Amino acid sequence: MADNPYYDRQLRDVLNILEHDYAGLVRTDAPVDSQYYIQAAGMAWKKGELDQLLFLRYVSQMLATTMDRSLRLSVVSEEYRPWHAGFDVRRVGDFLYVTASREDSRLRPGDRITELNGRSPGEHKARFQKNFLYSDVPEREMWGNVLKMAEHMTVEHTNGHIEQLPLLRLDGQRPPESTRIEQISHDAVRLIVGSLDFAGTLETIVAAERAKLDGATLLILDLRHATGDDPFALLPLVPYILSEEKTMNEAEGTQTYRTLYTPENCQRRLEQLAPFRDDPEAAGMIHEIEGHVGAGWVTETFTLWDDMPRPIVPRGNRVVVLTDTWTEGAPEAFVLLAKKEGRASIVGRATMGTLDFSSLIRVRVSDTAALTYPISISEDAARGNGYLGKGMTPSKVVPFTPDECLEDVILRAALS
């Protein structure tokens, strides 16, 4: 990848956005403590070690200290190939436990990683200058980027065998989780929701298995591995969490957000909408934004489901929703609705906490890097009652233990 020498300019542009245009400013006028990362990047530059990937690492870590998952820096060069380690972990004490390994056949759930590059994960955590794991709670920490920085690891397998292994660098996106239905017992059915990015998959399965879902004495909606940002994709499941017949707008209510209309945010938003200027809805949005240029914070209310005026009739019997830390985006919004309705039991762990921010803008900070950031924050979050860093707590909390690597403890709790 061709190096871009203007890393100081890139970093300055990123910090300028965070200090003037980022919706998180409603919570604090200093969203990031940038001094450490400025110094680290400067030292690497002096040593001749700073390239786009190391710069991406420093800035990504800095953004992660906010615990806001909507903030991210992306490399946009065609030469860059994203990669990952191929397995998932959770920390307990000094060690990481493998919870899933769909792509690295050398590992199995329950294997324990005792060292990364010669130090225990616990020691690495203690040495971090800043916490970029998105949480202070071990079971909620995200170690994926740390694994990408390691060259080798010491693994203690479940059979007691200990070995040194190099970490893999697997190109491309991780394989998506499939959506499927399982008959757990004669009266219990589990619907595992996977990626929502495949149009119609969930809708097709629900339509085909309607009798089974409606007739189950216990229906388990498993959202622990559900991914996607399209709230419309989960509409087929809404009848199973509604407490009574109502429209979606009646169920969700009016949404209230504060949007930061700086001149720069307005210009960037207008650039996003420019290709759709001939569309009446986009034209209306353009006109509204043009009227807000430089207005600063503006409180806005809206309803999301105006094009769905027909009431939805509840279906099914007893319903349990399964959640985990990784439940975010549209699945997390679905869990929030289920919690508001109060009909379904929610079992598992607090969700990721990604519902506070919206209206994402993507801006190029160089020819090879782009920053994504939100310009809107929910009124609840603006008042200090949001979900950032803590998520939504289930009605029945199941803390993580290494036993869960070998047994589905959350599912067992739901069945009990």
Side-chain angles (χ1 to χ4, degrees):
M1 180 185 302
D3 291 342
N4 185 323
Y6 304 112
Y7 297 115
D8 56 339
R9 187 182 303 169
Q10 292 185 50
L11 184 55
R12 185 166 60 247
D13 288 346
V14 169
L15 292 176
N16 186 61
I17 290 171
L18 293 176
E19 293 167 359
H20 297 96
D21 306 313
Y22 170 48
L25 290 167
V26 80
R27 300 167 52 247
T28 172
D29 58 2
V32 295
D33 181 1
S34 60
Q35 193 59 41
Y36 167 74
Y37 293 100
I38 292 173
Q39 293 174 347
M43 290 290 291
W45 172 256
K46 289 181 180 179
K47 294 178 181 179
E49 299 172 350
L50 189 62
D51 59 12
Q52 186 67 76
L53 294 182
L54 183 56
F55 181 79
L56 172 67
R57 179 183 299 173
Y58 283 145
V59 176
S60 296
Q61 289 180 8
M62 182 180 72
L63 298 178
T65 63
T66 68
M67 299 190 187
D68 178 4
R69 292 265 287 160
S70 68
L71 277 176
R72 56 187 177 272
L73 187 73
S74 305
V75 174
V76 292
S77 169
E78 292 183 357
E79 300 173 30
Y80 175 64
R81 294 291 182 269
W83 58 275
H84 55 282
F87 60 94
D88 299 326
V89 295
R90 266 190 157 118
R91 182 171 71 89
V92 177
D94 281 342
F95 306 128
L96 298 177
Y97 287 83
V98 177
T99 56
S101 185
R102 297 176 63 187
E103 297 172 89
D104 189 341
S105 60
R106 304 170 304 170
L107 302 175
R108 294 286 184 273
D111 288 349
R112 186 168 71 168
I113 299 172
T114 59
E115 290 182 342
L116 293 169
N117 288 356
R119 290 196 180 104
S120 74
E123 187 177 357
H124 279 288
K125 173 68 167 55
R127 287 171 173 261
F128 291 157
Q129 294 292 325
K130 303 291 180 181
N131 180 7
F132 54 88
L133 301 178
Y134 287 98
S135 180
D136 295 317
V137 180
E139 71 176 13
R140 293 179 62 83
E141 293 171 352
M142 305 187 74
W143 282 79
N145 285 333
V146 180
L147 296 177
K148 290 171 67 173
M149 292 188 286
E151 297 291 335
H152 54 84
M153 57 185 170
T154 303
V155 180
E156 181 181 340
H157 295 283
T158 54
N159 61 5
H161 177 60
I162 298 175
E163 62 178 336
Q164 291 271 347
L165 294 172
L167 276 94
L168 302 181
R169 296 192 173 194
L170 302 172
D171 290 339
Q173 299 296 322
R174 297 178 50 165
E177 187 79 22
S178 63
T179 297
R180 56 198 186 276
I181 191 168
E182 294 179 350
Q183 186 80 44
I184 298 177
S185 66
H186 72 281
D187 59 354
V189 170
R190 176 167 67 143
L191 176 60
I192 302 169
V193 182
S195 173
L196 301 176
D197 295 332
F198 301 101
T201 301
L202 178 60
E203 183 179 13
T204 299
I205 290 176
V206 170
E209 302 288 354
R210 181 72 73 185
K212 185 177 293 186
L213 299 175
D214 288 358
T217 302
L218 171 62
L219 172 60
I220 297 174
L221 303 178
D222 192 340
L223 301 183
R224 290 175 292 175
H225 302 288
T227 57
D229 295 317
D230 182 4
F232 291 86
L234 284 161
L235 281 175
L237 299 185
V238 169
Y240 298 99
I241 61 171
L242 288 185
S243 58
E244 60 186 24
E245 183 175 336
K246 61 183 70 173
T247 66
M248 281 298 296
N249 276 341
E250 289 172 338
E252 288 205 341
T254 300
Q255 311 294 309
T256 303
Y257 279 79
R258 296 186 198 177
T259 300
L260 183 53
Y261 284 107
T262 62
E264 293 78 11
N265 281 344
C266 293
Q267 177 186 348
R268 293 162 187 155
R269 191 75 177 100
L270 290 171
E271 289 173 354
Q272 285 182 327
L273 293 170
F276 313 101
R277 184 177 292 275
D278 294 335
D279 180 87
E281 184 176 353
M285 295 173 65
I286 289 171
H287 178 73
E288 184 177 353
I289 293 168
E290 289 174 338
H292 287 321
V293 174
W297 291 105
V298 175
T299 300
E300 301 175 312
T301 60
F302 63 92
T303 48
L304 183 61
W305 309 95
D306 294 342
D307 57 346
M308 294 185 57
R310 294 181 61 180
I312 298 175
V313 179
R315 308 183 75 110
N317 299 297
R318 180 180 167 225
V319 178
V320 175
V321 178
L322 305 188
T323 65
D324 204 344
T325 307
W326 325 126
T327 305
E328 61 181 331
E332 187 172 24
F334 180 87
V335 176
L336 175 60
L337 178 59
K339 189 169 185 176
K340 288 172 59 179
E341 285 296 302
R343 170 189 168 188
S345 298
I346 302 174
V347 178
R349 297 188 191 95
T351 54
M352 181 64 74
T354 57
L355 301 180
D356 293 352
F357 297 103
S358 66
S359 303
L360 301 184
I361 286 182
R362 189 169 187 258
V363 57
R364 295 287 285 266
V365 295
S366 77
D367 56 349
T368 58
L371 176 71
T372 300
Y373 69 99
I375 66 171
S376 297
I377 184 171
S378 73
E379 183 64 26
D380 284 343
R383 294 176 179 271
N385 300 316
Y387 300 102
L388 186 69
K390 57 185 179 182
M392 280 174 291
T393 303
S395 47
K396 186 173 185 178
V397 177
V398 183
F400 177 80
T401 67
D403 292 342
E404 190 171 324
C405 300
L406 303 175
E407 179 187 3
D408 196 337
V409 177
I410 291 179
L411 179 59
R412 184 180 68 187
L415 292 171
S416 65

